[in-house]
Amino acid sequence: WYVKQMRELLDKRSTEIELIMTVASVMLSFGFIAEAKSHVSTCLKMIKKPSQSNKKPEPISKKFETKRKNPELIISKQVRQKIYYLAGQVNLNEKNREKALEYFQKSHDLLESLVGKKDIMQLADSYLSLGNAQLCMRGLTEVRAAEHYYNKAKEIILQSKGENHISMAGYFEGMALCSSKGNLERDRLSEFDYTNKVCGLRIAHYGESHPVTAKSYNSLGTCLIKQGKRDQGLEYYNKALNIDLTTFGELHEATATDYLNIAGYHYHVGNDQQSIDYYNKVLDIALGVYGEDHPLVAMSYVRMGDVYKEIGDHDKAAELKQKGYQITVKEFIDSEEEQKDLSKMLLERTLKGKL
């Protein structure tokens, strides 16, 4: 698919920014977030370059070559919209909630200016993304806003493609997340029911051994564990792990997510050493893929600290949690002194059992 996309773009003699944008999209679809982020950042810089439209006009024969070499001169609304959308997806994956919402809103505004409010699938996808970004925020208002966007997407999908189209999986997935927060109306389905619908659509569309289906297996596993059906939940976690290991190998975020879920299972059933082993797997992958200053690294340290606290090794627990909190506070505070103070306070509250 990647080769086909690139060949089509080259055949159309596309600009450099379109080629970079396509590579970013491919990286994102395969879960290579760091690589996608790098390419999206390049595109955003190209958008922000100052216009050179006041330069002396070039001969017509040179216009196309100038456009290829200087894509910032002529960047269409369509290209800007796609870049903002990709930027939103990257930030959503990295838990940069406000930035994700900002870019998705920019993308949506451009999309509406291009196509209006017609029943097209691009607009439905945009509404789904806005809903996802809203759900990453905290508070009842954001959950209601997310449900509003999901329902707008649902209307478009049902009118354009019908209830069995794969795009409905995005609607059901969003509603499952809304349901997990306990703020939906009484006539809505449960989190498990929505998640089961997502899984059914993905199996029908992608098959049982696809990495997208693996995400649904993880979600179903989590729902079952919430219901107290822990062994059934673990079965789904292992199904997801087998698919992701086959597809991506060990050093990938999807595999890390599988290990994280399995580690949590073992923690809750009291298998402390197995839990530590799986958290270490998550940590090794996160450090290899992202480096030290990443939320997944911080989460690994903190959760391993929880396990060591449970088995009575308070010194090891404090050491790991301190590492995790120091990484976490960097996201919100620039001053190193304030970072140390806040992480110290969080650690003290944790050891006292208040966090």
Side-chain angles (χ1 to χ4, degrees):
W1 180 84
Y2 168 75
V3 172
K4 181 183 176 183
Q5 291 290 308
M6 295 299 291
R7 187 172 292 146
E8 286 179 0
L9 282 169
L10 288 169
D11 288 345
K12 289 190 288 187
R13 303 190 71 182
S14 302
T15 62
E16 182 183 355
I17 195 168
E18 289 173 307
L19 295 172
I20 297 171
M21 182 180 70
T22 301
V23 174
S25 179
V26 172
M27 293 296 104
L28 193 59
S29 67
F30 280 99
F32 296 107
I33 308 302
E35 291 85 350
K37 181 181 179 181
S38 174
H39 291 301
V40 169
S41 296
T42 299
C43 290
L44 289 171
K45 288 176 184 175
M46 294 168 85
I47 286 177
K48 291 176 183 177
K49 284 183 180 179
S51 174
Q52 301 176 23
S53 57
N54 57 351
K55 293 179 70 177
K56 186 177 179 180
E58 296 178 299
I60 293 175
S61 60
K62 292 185 177 180
K63 277 189 176 180
F64 178 76
E65 191 60 30
T66 300
K67 182 182 175 184
R68 285 184 63 84
K69 291 180 179 178
N70 300 284
E72 69 276 7
L73 292 182
I74 307 173
I75 300 177
S76 67
K77 279 187 176 182
Q78 288 91 337
V79 170
R80 288 175 182 271
Q81 180 267 319
K82 290 175 183 176
I83 291 169
Y84 288 141
Y85 179 81
L86 289 172
Q89 293 286 3
V90 167
N91 279 281
L92 195 61
N93 274 280
E94 294 206 320
K95 313 299 183 188
N96 297 327
R97 302 170 181 89
E98 288 81 5
K99 273 289 180 186
L101 188 57
E102 176 190 334
Y103 280 121
F104 280 138
Q105 191 62 61
K106 283 185 176 182
S107 169
H108 189 81
D109 291 345
L110 279 172
L111 190 58
E112 284 198 330
S113 73
L114 289 166
V115 300
K117 296 184 178 180
K118 297 177 184 177
D119 293 340
I120 61 165
M121 296 306 296
Q122 261 189 303
L123 206 54
D125 289 339
S126 184
Y127 280 127
L128 290 174
S129 296
L130 282 169
N132 293 340
Q134 287 285 358
L135 268 190
C136 281
M137 313 295 278
R138 293 180 175 86
L140 179 60
T141 303
E142 286 77 13
V143 174
R144 287 174 175 166
E147 188 179 358
H148 168 74
Y149 286 128
Y150 291 142
N151 283 323
K152 279 185 166 291
K154 176 188 175 184
E155 290 173 12
I156 294 172
I157 297 167
L158 289 178
Q159 290 174 14
S160 302
K161 300 293 182 179
E163 61 182 7
N164 293 321
H165 191 265
I166 186 60
S167 294
M168 281 297 290
Y171 164 75
F172 289 133
E173 193 169 37
M175 293 299 287
L177 289 170
C178 288
S179 182
S180 71
K181 297 178 184 293
N183 292 315
L184 294 184
E185 300 296 331
R186 289 183 181 179
D187 61 340
R188 301 292 191 263
L189 299 176
S190 68
E191 179 187 3
F192 177 82
D193 290 333
Y194 279 124
T195 304
N196 207 28
K197 284 180 174 289
V198 176
C199 193
L201 282 170
R202 286 177 173 169
I203 289 173
H205 189 79
Y206 299 109
E208 293 188 359
S209 301
H210 195 279
V212 174
T213 307
K215 291 181 180 180
S216 290
Y217 290 150
N218 268 324
S219 299
L220 278 174
T222 300
C223 288
L224 287 164
I225 285 175
K226 286 180 181 179
Q227 294 176 359
K229 301 172 183 177
R230 289 177 174 169
D231 290 342
Q232 286 179 258
L234 181 61
E235 288 179 19
Y236 277 105
Y237 286 158
N238 281 319
K239 286 177 78 171
L241 175 63
N242 290 333
I243 293 170
D244 290 332
L245 281 173
T246 302
T247 306
F248 302 116
E250 184 83 9
L251 199 64
H252 193 275
E253 184 188 16
T255 309
T257 299
D258 302 330
Y259 285 142
L260 190 69
N261 287 333
I262 295 171
Y265 162 84
H266 285 295
Y267 172 68
H268 288 296
V269 299
N271 299 333
D272 297 322
Q273 188 54 56
Q274 285 178 275
S275 180
I276 290 169
D277 291 343
Y278 277 107
Y279 280 132
N280 271 315
K281 285 176 178 283
V282 178
L283 181 61
D284 289 342
I285 295 170
L287 288 170
V289 173
Y290 301 113
E292 183 74 25
D293 295 331
H294 191 273
L296 188 56
V297 175
M299 185 188 298
S300 302
Y301 283 134
V302 171
R303 292 197 180 178
M304 264 200 287
D306 289 334
V307 183
Y308 278 103
K309 182 183 176 184
E310 190 71 23
I311 62 180
D313 191 341
H314 296 286
D315 290 340
K316 185 68 173 178
E319 175 192 340
L320 290 167
K321 283 179 170 288
Q322 181 75 357
K323 282 185 176 181
Y325 291 146
Q326 284 175 346
I327 295 168
T328 301
V329 298
K330 285 181 182 178
E331 184 180 349
F332 306 102
I333 300 173
D334 294 327
S335 166
E336 288 188 16
E337 187 174 341
E338 290 181 3
Q339 288 173 9
K340 289 178 181 178
D341 289 342
L342 181 55
S343 59
K344 183 180 178 181
M345 183 200 75
L346 289 170
L347 179 62
E348 289 172 352
R349 290 177 66 84
T350 302
L351 297 177
K352 289 178 182 177
K354 294 181 180 180
L355 282 178

Coordinates of all heavy atoms in Angstrom, one line a residue, residues 263-292:
A263 N 0.5 -7.1 32.5 CA 1.1 -6.7 33.8 C 0.0 -6.3 34.8 O 0.1 -6.7 36.0 CB 2.1 -5.6 33.6
G264 N -0.9 -5.5 34.4 CA -2.0 -5.0 35.3 C -2.9 -6.2 35.7 O -3.2 -6.2 36.9
Y265 N -3.1 -7.1 34.9 CA -3.9 -8.3 35.2 C -3.1 -9.1 36.4 O -3.8 -9.4 37.4 CB -4.0 -9.3 34.0 CG -4.4 -10.7 34.4 CD1 -5.8 -11.0 34.7 CD2 -3.5 -11.7 34.6 CE1 -6.1 -12.3 35.1 CE2 -3.8 -13.0 35.0 CZ -5.1 -13.3 35.2 OH -5.5 -14.5 35.6
H266 N -1.9 -9.3 36.2 CA -1.1 -10.1 37.2 C -1.0 -9.3 38.5 O -1.0 -9.9 39.6 CB 0.3 -10.4 36.7 CG 0.3 -11.5 35.6 ND1 -0.1 -12.8 36.0 CD2 0.6 -11.5 34.3 CE1 0.0 -13.6 34.9 NE2 0.4 -12.8 33.9
Y267 N -0.9 -8.0 38.4 CA -0.9 -7.2 39.7 C -2.2 -7.4 40.5 O -2.2 -7.6 41.7 CB -0.7 -5.7 39.3 CG -0.8 -4.8 40.5 CD1 0.1 -4.8 41.5 CD2 -1.9 -3.9 40.5 CE1 0.0 -3.9 42.6 CE2 -2.1 -3.0 41.6 CZ -1.1 -3.0 42.6 OH -1.3 -2.1 43.7
H268 N -3.3 -7.3 39.8 CA -4.6 -7.4 40.5 C -4.9 -8.8 41.0 O -5.7 -8.9 41.9 CB -5.7 -6.9 39.5 CG -5.7 -5.4 39.3 ND1 -5.9 -4.5 40.3 CD2 -5.5 -4.7 38.2 CE1 -5.8 -3.3 39.8 NE2 -5.5 -3.4 38.5
V269 N -4.4 -9.8 40.4 CA -4.6 -11.2 40.9 C -3.5 -11.6 41.9 O -3.6 -12.7 42.4 CB -4.8 -12.2 39.8 CG1 -5.9 -11.9 38.9 CG2 -3.5 -12.4 39.0
G270 N -2.5 -10.7 42.2 CA -1.5 -11.0 43.2 C -0.3 -11.7 42.7 O 0.5 -12.2 43.5
N271 N -0.1 -11.8 41.4 CA 1.1 -12.4 40.8 C 2.2 -11.4 40.7 O 2.5 -10.9 39.6 CB 0.8 -13.1 39.5 CG -0.2 -14.2 39.5 OD1 -0.4 -14.8 40.6 ND2 -0.9 -14.4 38.4
D272 N 2.8 -11.0 41.8 CA 3.6 -9.8 41.8 C 4.8 -9.9 40.9 O 5.2 -9.0 40.2 CB 4.1 -9.5 43.3 CG 2.9 -9.2 44.2 OD1 2.0 -8.5 43.7 OD2 2.9 -9.6 45.3
Q273 N 5.5 -11.0 41.0 CA 6.8 -11.2 40.2 C 6.5 -11.1 38.7 O 7.2 -10.5 37.9 CB 7.5 -12.4 40.6 CG 8.9 -12.5 39.9 CD 9.8 -11.3 40.2 OE1 10.0 -11.0 41.3 NE2 10.3 -10.7 39.1
Q274 N 5.4 -11.8 38.3 CA 5.0 -11.8 36.9 C 4.6 -10.4 36.4 O 4.9 -9.9 35.3 CB 3.8 -12.7 36.6 CG 4.3 -14.2 36.6 CD 3.1 -15.1 36.4 OE1 2.4 -15.5 37.4 NE2 2.8 -15.5 35.2
S275 N 4.0 -9.7 37.3 CA 3.6 -8.3 37.1 C 4.9 -7.4 36.8 O 5.0 -6.7 35.9 CB 2.8 -7.7 38.2 OG 2.4 -6.4 37.9
I276 N 5.9 -7.6 37.7 CA 7.1 -6.8 37.6 C 7.8 -7.2 36.3 O 8.3 -6.3 35.6 CB 8.0 -7.1 38.8 CG1 7.5 -6.5 40.0 CG2 9.5 -6.6 38.5 CD1 8.2 -6.9 41.3
D277 N 7.8 -8.5 35.9 CA 8.5 -8.9 34.7 C 7.8 -8.2 33.5 O 8.5 -7.8 32.5 CB 8.4 -10.4 34.5 CG 9.2 -11.2 35.6 OD1 10.1 -10.6 36.1 OD2 8.9 -12.4 35.8
Y278 N 6.5 -8.2 33.4 CA 5.8 -7.6 32.3 C 6.0 -6.0 32.3 O 6.2 -5.5 31.2 CB 4.3 -7.9 32.3 CG 4.1 -9.3 31.7 CD1 3.7 -10.4 32.5 CD2 4.2 -9.5 30.3 CE1 3.5 -11.6 31.9 CE2 3.9 -10.7 29.7 CZ 3.6 -11.8 30.5 OH 3.3 -13.0 30.0
Y279 N 6.0 -5.4 33.4 CA 6.2 -4.0 33.5 C 7.7 -3.6 33.0 O 7.9 -2.6 32.3 CB 6.0 -3.4 34.9 CG 4.6 -3.2 35.2 CD1 4.0 -3.6 36.4 CD2 3.7 -2.5 34.3 CE1 2.7 -3.4 36.7 CE2 2.4 -2.3 34.6 CZ 1.9 -2.7 35.8 OH 0.6 -2.5 36.1
N280 N 8.6 -4.5 33.3 CA 10.0 -4.3 32.8 C 10.0 -4.4 31.3 O 10.8 -3.7 30.6 CB 10.9 -5.3 33.4 CG 11.5 -4.8 34.7 OD1 12.0 -3.7 34.8 ND2 11.5 -5.7 35.7
K281 N 9.2 -5.3 30.7 CA 9.1 -5.5 29.2 C 8.6 -4.1 28.6 O 9.1 -3.7 27.6 CB 8.2 -6.6 28.8 CG 8.8 -8.0 29.0 CD 7.7 -9.1 28.7 CE 8.3 -10.5 28.8 NZ 9.1 -10.8 27.7
V282 N 7.5 -3.6 29.3 CA 7.0 -2.3 28.8 C 8.0 -1.2 28.9 O 8.2 -0.5 27.9 CB 5.8 -1.9 29.7 CG1 5.2 -0.6 29.2 CG2 4.7 -3.0 29.6
L283 N 8.8 -1.2 30.0 CA 9.8 -0.2 30.2 C 10.9 -0.3 29.1 O 11.3 0.7 28.5 CB 10.4 -0.3 31.6 CG 11.5 0.8 31.9 CD1 10.9 2.2 31.9 CD2 12.0 0.5 33.3
D284 N 11.3 -1.5 28.8 CA 12.4 -1.7 27.8 C 12.0 -1.2 26.5 O 12.7 -0.6 25.7 CB 12.8 -3.2 27.8 CG 13.5 -3.6 29.0 OD1 14.1 -2.8 29.7 OD2 13.6 -4.9 29.2
I285 N 10.7 -1.5 26.1 CA 10.2 -1.1 24.8 C 10.1 0.4 24.7 O 10.5 1.1 23.8 CB 8.8 -1.8 24.5 CG1 9.0 -3.3 24.4 CG2 8.2 -1.2 23.2 CD1 7.7 -4.0 24.3
A286 N 9.5 1.0 25.8 CA 9.3 2.5 25.8 C 10.6 3.2 25.8 O 10.7 4.2 25.0 CB 8.5 2.8 27.1
L287 N 11.6 2.8 26.5 CA 12.9 3.4 26.4 C 13.5 3.3 25.1 O 14.1 4.2 24.5 CB 13.8 2.8 27.5 CG 13.5 3.2 29.0 CD1 14.3 2.4 29.9 CD2 13.8 4.7 29.2
G288 N 13.3 2.1 24.4 CA 13.9 1.9 23.1 C 13.2 2.7 22.0 O 13.9 3.1 21.1
V289 N 11.9 2.8 22.1 CA 11.2 3.5 21.1 C 11.2 5.0 21.3 O 11.3 5.8 20.4 CB 9.7 3.0 21.0 CG1 8.9 3.8 20.1 CG2 9.7 1.5 20.6
Y290 N 11.0 5.5 22.6 CA 10.7 6.9 22.8 C 11.9 7.6 23.6 O 12.0 8.8 23.5 CB 9.5 7.1 23.7 CG 8.2 6.5 23.0 CD1 7.6 5.4 23.5 CD2 7.7 7.1 21.8 CE1 6.4 4.9 22.9 CE2 6.6 6.6 21.2 CZ 5.9 5.5 21.8 OH 4.8 5.0 21.2
G291 N 12.7 6.9 24.3 CA 13.7 7.5 25.2 C 13.1 7.8 26.6 O 11.9 7.4 26.8
E292 N 13.8 8.4 27.4 CA 13.5 8.5 28.8 C 12.3 9.4 29.1 O 11.4 9.0 29.9 CB 14.7 9.1 29.6 CG 14.5 9.2 31.1 CD 14.6 7.8 31.8 OE1 15.2 6.9 31.3 OE2 14.0 7.7 32.9

